[in-house]
Amino acid sequence: MIIILKNGQSPEQINELHDYLKQYNVKISEIQGEQTTIWGLVGDTTKIDIATIQAKDVVEDIRRVSEPYKIANRKFHPDDTVLEIGGNTVGGGHFNVIAGPCSVESEEQVIAVAKEVKKSGAKFLRGGAFKPRTSPYAFQGLHDEGLKYLLEAKKETGLPIVTEIMSLAHLDLFNDVDVIQVGARNMQNFELLKELGHCDKPILLKRGLANTLEEFLMSAEYIMAGGNTQVIFCERGIRTFETMTRNTLDLSAIPLLKHYSHLPVIVDPSHATGIPWLVEPLSLAAIACGADGLMIEVHNNPKLALCDGAQSLTPAQFDAVMKKVTAQAEFSGKTL
Amino acid sequence: MIIILKNGQSPEQINELHDYLKQYNVKISEIQGEQTTIWGLVGDTTKIDIATIQAKDVVEDIRRVSEPYKIANRKFHPDDTVLEIGGNTVGGGHFNVIAGPCSVESEEQVIAVAKEVKKSGAKFLRGGAFKPRTSPYAFQGLHDEGLKYLLEAKKETGLPIVTEIMSLAHLDLFNDVDVIQVGARNMQNFELLKELGHCDKPILLKRGLANTLEEFLMSAEYIMAGGNTQVIFCERGIRTFETMTRNTLDLSAIPLLKHYSHLPVIVDPSHATGIPWLVEPLSLAAIACGADGLMIEVHNNPKLALCDGAQSLTPAQFDAVMKKVTAQAEFSGKTL
Amino acid sequence: MIIILKNGQSPEQINELHDYLKQYNVKISEIQGEQTTIWGLVGDTTKIDIATIQAKDVVEDIRRVSEPYKIANRKFHPDDTVLEIGGNTVGGGHFNVIAGPCSVESEEQVIAVAKEVKKSGAKFLRGGAFKPRTSPYAFQGLHDEGLKYLLEAKKETGLPIVTEIMSLAHLDLFNDVDVIQVGARNMQNFELLKELGHCDKPILLKRGLANTLEEFLMSAEYIMAGGNTQVIFCERGIRTFETMTRNTLDLSAIPLLKHYSHLPVIVDPSHATGIPWLVEPLSLAAIACGADGLMIEVHNNPKLALCDGAQSLTPAQFDAVMKKVTAQAEFSGKTL
Amino acid sequence: MIIILKNGQSPEQINELHDYLKQYNVKISEIQGEQTTIWGLVGDTTKIDIATIQAKDVVEDIRRVSEPYKIANRKFHPDDTVLEIGGNTVGGGHFNVIAGPCSVESEEQVIAVAKEVKKSGAKFLRGGAFKPRTSPYAFQGLHDEGLKYLLEAKKETGLPIVTEIMSLAHLDLFNDVDVIQVGARNMQNFELLKELGHCDKPILLKRGLANTLEEFLMSAEYIMAGGNTQVIFCERGIRTFETMTRNTLDLSAIPLLKHYSHLPVIVDPSHATGIPWLVEPLSLAAIACGADGLMIEVHNNPKLALCDGAQSLTPAQFDAVMKKVTAQAEFSGKTL
């Protein structure tokens, strides 16, 4: 950590800051400049709050040299995290596709889609029972009924289930779910993250619409700090000025997250763009730059979908995409 | 609502869409173009899901003509919402300043700050007992202890309390709080919004970091749809590429929200910029373009603040700002 | 300037960097950490290229401590720049409104508008003869004919002229213009900036749609480095995800630019929002937080305007806005 | 084009708008709603200015149904544009890599790099003689001297030259250049685009930092409207809130541009990210989603580069990247 001091400050103020910092057991070295003095702090600075230092009169500027996350940090855990989930292996060179409808609408629908996506090579079934919707008047999901249908579909097909949690109050309902998804709008719902840190299920953590990669890493750290180290990142597009796509898919996130962290990284091209014919090219691109998996929306009747049908593939379209996805994953050296 | 159809589609597909729409009791009129056909839908289209329509093969594009919010919409409620809270009047030309520390740190601190800000003219005391922090290693607030100190400060000064809720699980603890704040990161925590719709307390709703004004209006609609119509908007900056300020304060939001809605709108210049000396000029600007109030961070010792001290004013600085704020509010015709 | 070195590098590499830096006559001090070494550079580092240093294998990170602009920097020129233009004083507490049509359409139009805006209190006439248009099929301006009409209007009313240059090739045509405007899309047209640095006319420099304030300051520095120190900043909105306004007006820019620089700062609320009824509230807000002036679009027949009519005020609307603008400017202590 | 009229307007105003529109030879059909009336305009609406219509009192809203570009539009030119440049074929399934230093620094440097990149499989040599730099104090390029060295390198290696133009005034110097590059900051320098529309050289058009894909297509249309239909798009990252990369590479742009236009699309991963080790993964991703080529920065001594060395690959690194790039391009069915 580097602190830049203003010149011309009283020795008392400088001593006050010096004492404040010493309680963190860091070593402080000084460089004397013409207009500024620089302090270099050596030691564990994770617990030092940048804003608190910045508020002090004597401080011109401050910056971290090392990353503020530890358990999620590849520096301290050089090997890839590999998760075993319902018979599938995630991370460490393995490749998995999660597919299914945006929202669970009926038992028939979700079982039908599950069978189709399994046939095409999906390894997990996704489906929303609790749906975050911008409008209070839009369909909000079937809730516990929806979870029941997903588990029926799992019984029929053997596919492990990935589904989104929207509130701590529902946690008990997720006992038989295989992977709990945290949606983009909850990436910084810190109370939820903390609670998920105490459960023993893999968490699929989606990137927030306006969250930096460092914040994304810190949200994983929140969960991991509670003891649950089974976190999967999911890049799903960020909000920019571009209006032709719903969001801007940030594929640089894949190599960057894999560089700074040891956790698996998957990509959701369906939500990122909102345009079904972009799912194929962006899926291939995601694999080519290192994604450990994909999450793709498939609906057996997108035209009647109660939610976000616009971006869903039909089972036939999904099957065609999967052929190319499989070939690219093999080409990129992934284990299928 | 306007739907643009692709040409060359089968009559069956077009009939299917026609039938689907008729269930919403809307009248459909048609314009025949060379390459496209346009349908105009007349009636209540609030419940029609745009994405569902868009997914249909025959549809080229779709757009709303009328706003998707109703209870928050000034069209249906032309008069300003005016709230009576703990002896203060909010909205309808009245002007209020909410002030206090970012986080409650001790009983002494919060009472001392409360007395100071009251003396300078603040009408509400703010202070965080539950703190959303990017890092799990940062100070997370004093929780119920913090709420207790805030209520002590209220007893001492008479200032009603504004404080942030971070989880439904804590709702019972907020019984004696005067205004419940929903933070920027929870603006689209829909389960929380729904529950707050059933309580009878005013809600201070902060704009999310990457949320449009229409989404902001829809989040107010979420609360109001549950029966609680006491909502106050708070603009606090949005995330952009600019790095000189923490966020970019969007003051256009004030006249726009007041145009489309009847709810009060306040501004938080402290969090918007993260720079204490910008609080004064941006407070004056906010008043000049119509803000119903301000939310300002004040700490009796910003240099030792456990959280976000960087942006806090000292009581003396706050007093100086309040003199100018009061003069501008009077000049702008506000009732103080 | 601070350079963070990676540890475990060969002494040769470190010496190479040391020698490279010494040629800039800076003093280098060193702090030895556990994982990194920090160098503090003292002296004039303006000419050192950050990217070049960053490319070196031994360098982990690098950052400036002091601003990269000098002539535009208030640190070196504490007093406000005050410009005398065609009988008006700009900067240093003086307040000026520039008004007129988006584009010059005919001699009658521009003279009529000039007379109207003068009557309402405008001090400068604006009008575009060269128009930057997104579409090649849109009206591109009357070019030299347009400039001629502007000068006619100046002769009739005495109002000095502000008009936009789009290409170096046209510079000769601007001999009799009072203020040359550089549009948002040309803020980083460096060849144009350099050339304008050699002319002796005031330059109104508009902020680019996606340019940071530091880049804005650097573009002013480009002009000033050529010898022309008559630069006026114009904030006109930046591009964000918000779609309700054309751009997001960043009013924080006013106090920030005035803090870091000594140059006058004006605001263009017409282009920032694209919505005529937002011109008044945002004009008042701009004045309240320190703007030295405003630039407002006025058209005698917005409904028939050949360009951007949507955001223009009628002369009557402008007159009403000016009454409030004048009162606010007086209240804010400006000299009118 | 669809126009939504406000209700309760006088017949005169409505007739005035009707007459205004008729001059464009469009057919107007009407849908009568409860609160609004909708007009559908059929015919060539390219020349109708949206802002002008929007300014009219009777108009609530307006939107285009068809794209505002024609010559660049795939609808009217379904076949891929294929360009023959200096012995290379660009577009139509062919794949080309453009490589070289950010800026030309000496004859030796550029010839050395040219030989290296040719050996590794590059088909074009890039190098900047005119450099857009944020700071007036940074190295601005060798200008005509730099162009001379590039042509020397072409003579030595046979590689055609791609180099950036920054001002119309330099156009004569580009006579022997093979491809003229328009940089991101000049994407909407309309005077430059118009002039390039009259020359008979291929133009490599880079996307602006904050420009939408529709604006990008319109800038190509500017050039093509002048008669020069040899335009190549280059996606190079857009400006977002993310700070870990210099810009956010928008790979969705590739399939979208190729869908809406028939022009070739290449990607510059070096400038997009500013991080050399991201060049490989993002190059592969770009190819996987359809890019017609890549533009990669290579410097024989990045550590001493006068400009943007940080993002350059060494010839050895480039050679390694090219092996993977070639394999991916073959896998994706490109002609090499």
Side-chain angles (χ1 to χ4, degrees), chain B residues 78 94 142 223 274 281 325:
Chain B
H94 295 264
L142 295 180
I223 297 168
V325 157

mmCIF file of all heavy atoms in Angstrom, chain B residues 78 94 142 223 274 281 325:
data_model
loop_
_atom_site.group_PDB
_atom_site.id
_atom_site.type_symbol
_atom_site.label_atom_id
_atom_site.label_comp_id
_atom_site.label_asym_id
_atom_site.label_seq_id
_atom_site.Cartn_x
_atom_site.Cartn_y
_atom_site.Cartn_z
ATOM 1 N N PRO B 78 -51.928 13.764 -10.502
ATOM 2 C CA PRO B 78 -51.251 15.020 -10.853
ATOM 3 C C PRO B 78 -50.668 15.781 -9.662
ATOM 4 O O PRO B 78 -49.682 16.496 -9.825
ATOM 5 C CB PRO B 78 -52.336 15.844 -11.561
ATOM 6 C CG PRO B 78 -53.589 15.054 -11.518
ATOM 7 C CD PRO B 78 -53.322 13.703 -10.963
ATOM 8 N N HIS B 94 -41.884 21.596 0.114
ATOM 9 C CA HIS B 94 -41.130 21.643 1.373
ATOM 10 C C HIS B 94 -39.710 21.144 1.141
ATOM 11 O O HIS B 94 -39.465 20.340 0.251
ATOM 12 C CB HIS B 94 -41.823 20.793 2.433
ATOM 13 C CG HIS B 94 -43.170 21.331 2.796
ATOM 14 N ND1 HIS B 94 -43.387 22.146 3.886
ATOM 15 C CD2 HIS B 94 -44.377 21.198 2.176
ATOM 16 C CE1 HIS B 94 -44.660 22.488 3.925
ATOM 17 N NE2 HIS B 94 -45.282 21.924 2.897
ATOM 18 N N LEU B 142 -22.861 -1.741 13.292
ATOM 19 C CA LEU B 142 -23.114 -2.242 14.649
ATOM 20 C C LEU B 142 -24.445 -2.992 14.758
ATOM 21 O O LEU B 142 -24.823 -3.427 15.851
ATOM 22 C CB LEU B 142 -23.097 -1.081 15.647
ATOM 23 C CG LEU B 142 -21.767 -0.354 15.823
ATOM 24 C CD1 LEU B 142 -21.915 0.773 16.846
ATOM 25 C CD2 LEU B 142 -20.673 -1.326 16.271
ATOM 26 N N ILE B 223 -42.943 -1.111 -4.760
ATOM 27 C CA ILE B 223 -43.321 -0.844 -3.365
ATOM 28 C C ILE B 223 -44.781 -0.396 -3.314
ATOM 29 O O ILE B 223 -45.572 -0.882 -2.508
ATOM 30 C CB ILE B 223 -42.405 0.259 -2.769
ATOM 31 C CG1 ILE B 223 -40.951 -0.235 -2.750
ATOM 32 C CG2 ILE B 223 -42.871 0.644 -1.367
ATOM 33 C CD1 ILE B 223 -39.932 0.862 -2.451
ATOM 34 N N GLY B 274 -18.030 11.454 -3.525
ATOM 35 C CA GLY B 274 -16.948 10.957 -2.688
ATOM 36 C C GLY B 274 -15.914 12.022 -2.350
ATOM 37 O O GLY B 274 -14.836 11.722 -1.854
ATOM 38 N N PRO B 281 -21.231 22.887 -3.788
ATOM 39 C CA PRO B 281 -21.738 23.305 -5.106
ATOM 40 C C PRO B 281 -22.830 22.388 -5.651
ATOM 41 O O PRO B 281 -23.804 22.866 -6.246
ATOM 42 C CB PRO B 281 -20.481 23.305 -5.992
ATOM 43 C CG PRO B 281 -19.441 22.530 -5.243
ATOM 44 C CD PRO B 281 -19.769 22.687 -3.794
ATOM 45 N N VAL B 325 -27.121 26.527 1.627
ATOM 46 C CA VAL B 325 -28.243 25.679 1.223
ATOM 47 C C VAL B 325 -29.564 26.356 1.569
ATOM 48 O O VAL B 325 -30.499 26.400 0.764
ATOM 49 C CB VAL B 325 -28.116 24.287 1.896
ATOM 50 C CG1 VAL B 325 -29.467 23.579 1.976
ATOM 51 C CG2 VAL B 325 -27.093 23.421 1.150
#
